Amino acid sequence: MGGCFSKPKPVEVKVEVVLPEKEREKEEMSPNGKASPLAYKANGTTRLYHHEERPIVLNPYTNPKDVVEASVCHVKDLENGQMREVDLGCGKALLVKQNGEYYAMGHKCPHYGAPLVKGVLSKGRVRCPWHGACFNIATGDIEDFPGLDALPKFQVKIEKERVYIRASKQALQSQRRTKVMAKCIALSNYSAAITNILIIGAGPAGLVCAETLRQEGFSDRIVMCTSEKNLPYDRSKLSKSMDSQAEQIFLRSKEFFHTYDIEVLTESQVVGVDTKNKMVLFKDGFRMEYNKLLIATGNTPKTLKCKGKELDNVFTIRTPEDANKVVRLASSKNAVIVGASFLGMEVAAYLCEKAHSVSVVELENIPFKKFLGEKVGLAIMKMFENNRVKFYMQTEVSELREQEGKLKEVVLKSGKVLRADVCVIGIGASPTTGFLKQSGVALDSRGYILVNKMMQTNIPGVFAAGDVVTFPLAFRNNKKVNVPHWQMAHMQGRIAALNMLAQGTEINTVPYLWTAMFGKSIRYAGHGDGFDDVIIQGDIDELKFVAFYTRKPKRRFLSYSRMTPCVEHWRNDEVIAVASMNYDPIVSKVAEIMSSGKTIRKRDVETGDISWLTGKGS
């Protein structure tokens, strides 16, 4: 069995809490200023540590040379519900005023560095304008994803009607903070074949689950296993930044996993799960017992079924190595993309400047028609055509022809023959759940794992998260859906971890996704499955627009008497999703409204006046 780390030997238990340097004071303080306890578990024994008795507590400002204090504005310069980016001389901070109180924190989203001042402030948190991550303004903690780190939190004081911020220079420069985590140096009475928590899959769901457990004080053994050879990495970049080496897109460094005792077994494929005996079987015959299990194996790309599908120059983009090979083979050559999916279109956009020609083959007549609607799909298609991408729509591949063992041509059912030196398949994916057939874990008709709002399967102690699950989506009246989004996998991993610790937390997040093509980003929030109308505001031809996806609620039939039946029609369609280009932060604003439980009606967005949605504060 492959592995990043050596297997631990049975030794005495030692529990330590690791505190990231420079950012400790008030780390576990609740918004009301009182210390909140953390539960640290050692071999199943729970103890509550209060702030005063933490094993290690460091003041973030013990080194005067690392501290800066500056007057940033007058108290009347900021109204309630407003945010301002302020300069402290050696770095910037985000200053927020809400309900008469001032808060200061990092000004950039730790995910991709978006300016949070352009985001959405609502009910004690700020939402990133680019990708929807949310941060608590009182603590800096991340409350919705994507991203792994919190914001650094700075001290605010009022003196003579001036607002002062006191901050660590290092925190101002880093603009991110890793939360306090427990760790376990060694575990008593454990062999290499026994673990408390076993996580199958090393994507965002698995990683966030492991980190959340440590953040919540869990100090027993955690093992993650993956069939890949790499540590967890940002898979969303495989089609957007195809030249990136694996190490450049790692979500965490090898040192991080060592520091917090999160074991990662690479090249370790699970082939079976025995839920009765709480044991998993690996491909090489190794068996491992667990106490609680998270299944986060994601999806497996679908492949073509035609002749030539096994040729060397035919790829599904699954790993950094796949992406790197495609770029090398496509350089000044002919590339054919099969499938106008998000992955397929992102690959096509990336290869445009590198390949001699880029062709896209798609069964539908318009890209993204089912997801974004006909008008948005046509606008995106035109953008691609303006960048030399050739589309072959409403057809399929019938054969991949070779010459001297290498792909030479792609033959379409329409009869068209395309020159091809490399071919990328982007026709969707199916859940990686084949190894669960004899496990008793319930699957739906498509093979996805069925979970409840706490990410629990039908088997006690077995949880699932990420692209591999079907779950009840709260804002769509608990409709059971599969949402294969990067952001959603993060949140599901966190919810699974909290419920492994019996915290009874339900998932209540709004799906949020984005894509980038030719330097332009499309942002999307909600779940538009089954939309029956699209309301577009802005200029779609100029690619500066917002699209609202609406759905007619079901009719109710009321009978007041036998003689006078009455049909009550729902008058207002509901907005169930939104997409935009060059219209920030409207998608984040809509996501925040949906998250609060409020409903946006079709009549609210079809008048042409959506200024109430484009404001940054509430």
Side-chain angles (χ1 to χ4, degrees), residues 7-10 190-195 221 223 265 286-288:
K7 296 170 183 175
K9 299 176 182 179
Y190 274 107
S191 72
I194 301 175
T195 184
R221 190 182 183 197
V223 175
L265 304 180
F286 182 71
R287 296 174 184 270
M288 181 175 284

Side-chain angles (χ1 to χ4, degrees), residues 20-33 58-61 66-68 88 92-98 101-108 110 116 124-126 135-143 149-157 163-179:
E21 293 182 3
K22 306 295 183 184
E23 284 296 322
R24 304 304 188 279
E25 192 174 77
K26 300 181 181 178
E27 168 63 27
E28 298 306 328
M29 301 294 277
S30 60
N32 63 12
L58 301 177
N59 190 317
Y61 306 124
D66 184 50
V67 177
V68 60
L88 278 70
K92 293 181 179 180
L94 181 69
L95 181 64
V96 176
K97 185 178 181 181
Q98 194 164 60
E101 298 291 332
Y102 291 88
Y103 306 89
M105 64 215 73
H107 73 104
K108 287 184 178 180
L116 292 174
R125 69 181 190 178
V126 58
F135 303 91
N136 186 296
I137 61 174
T139 64
D141 290 347
I142 187 167
E143 294 187 346
D149 291 320
L151 294 173
K153 185 72 176 65
F154 308 131
Q155 294 179 353
V156 181
K157 67 177 182 179
V163 180
Y164 290 81
I165 296 178
R166 191 168 189 247
S168 156
K169 295 178 183 178
Q170 184 187 50
L172 283 169
Q173 292 167 3
S174 70
Q175 291 293 317
R176 63 180 64 237
R177 172 176 58 89
T178 301
K179 288 188 68 176

Side-chain angles (χ1 to χ4, degrees), residues 115-335:
L116 292 174
V117 72
K118 295 183 179 180
V120 177
L121 176 64
S122 176
K123 296 182 180 179
R125 69 181 190 178
V126 58
R127 184 183 283 267
C128 171
W130 290 359
H131 307 130
C134 296
F135 303 91
N136 186 296
I137 61 174
T139 64
D141 290 347
I142 187 167
E143 294 187 346
D144 205 341
F145 299 89
L148 299 171
D149 291 320
L151 294 173
K153 185 72 176 65
F154 308 131
Q155 294 179 353
V156 181
K157 67 177 182 179
I158 309 298
E159 256 183 34
K160 297 179 180 179
E161 296 192 322
R162 298 289 303 176
V163 180
Y164 290 81
I165 296 178
R166 191 168 189 247
S168 156
K169 295 178 183 178
Q170 184 187 50
L172 283 169
Q173 292 167 3
S174 70
Q175 291 293 317
R176 63 180 64 237
R177 172 176 58 89
T178 301
K179 288 188 68 176
V180 175
M181 294 194 196
K183 66 171 286 186
C184 210
I185 296 174
L187 293 172
S188 175
N189 301 323
Y190 274 107
S191 72
I194 301 175
T195 184
N196 196 313
I197 303 291
L198 178 59
I199 299 170
I200 307 176
L207 179 57
V208 171
C209 178
E211 290 198 21
T212 301
L213 288 167
R214 289 288 186 243
Q215 290 166 4
E216 294 295 310
F218 183 83
S219 58
D220 224 322
R221 190 182 183 197
I222 299 174
V223 175
M224 297 175 65
C225 60
T226 172
S227 58
E228 296 193 33
K229 67 178 184 179
N230 295 308
L231 291 172
Y233 58 87
D234 190 342
R235 192 182 300 276
S236 69
K237 289 186 176 180
L238 294 187
S239 51
K240 298 180 181 74
S241 180
M242 299 178 69
D243 275 324
S244 297
Q245 301 299 305
E247 296 78 9
Q248 295 175 307
I249 57 175
F250 280 173
L251 294 172
R252 294 296 195 191
S253 67
K254 186 175 182 179
E255 291 70 29
F256 177 92
F257 293 100
H258 278 298
T259 298
Y260 298 110
D261 290 325
I262 300 170
E263 300 172 60
V264 184
L265 304 180
T266 56
E267 298 180 285
S268 302
Q269 182 180 352
V270 173
V271 295
V273 177
D274 180 352
T275 55
K276 279 190 177 181
N277 295 305
K278 292 191 171 184
M279 182 178 293
V280 300
L281 173 65
F282 290 85
K283 189 175 182 179
D284 62 2
F286 182 71
R287 296 174 184 270
M288 181 175 284
E289 296 179 31
Y290 63 86
N291 181 32
K292 288 187 171 67
L293 177 69
L294 175 71
I295 304 167
T297 44
N299 285 332
T300 299
K302 293 180 180 178
T303 59
L304 296 177
K305 298 179 180 180
C306 63
K307 180 181 178 182
K309 64 179 181 179
E310 304 296 340
L311 291 174
D312 287 344
N313 290 15
V314 179
F315 294 86
T316 56
I317 305 293
R318 183 64 183 170
T319 67
E321 292 74 25
D322 290 338
N324 296 164
K325 287 179 183 176
V326 168
V327 173
R328 289 197 300 269
L329 290 169
S331 181
S332 301
K333 298 295 180 64
N334 303 295

Side-chain angles (χ1 to χ4, degrees), residues 118 171 192 216 285 389 427 439 598:
K118 295 183 179 180
E216 294 295 310
V389 175
I427 56 174
S439 67
K598 297 178 182 178

Side-chain angles (χ1 to χ4, degrees), residues 448-459:
Y448 291 97
I449 302 171
L450 291 165
V451 296
N452 61 17
K453 287 185 178 182
M454 295 188 286
M455 312 316 296
Q456 297 168 326
T457 70
N458 61 310
I459 306 294

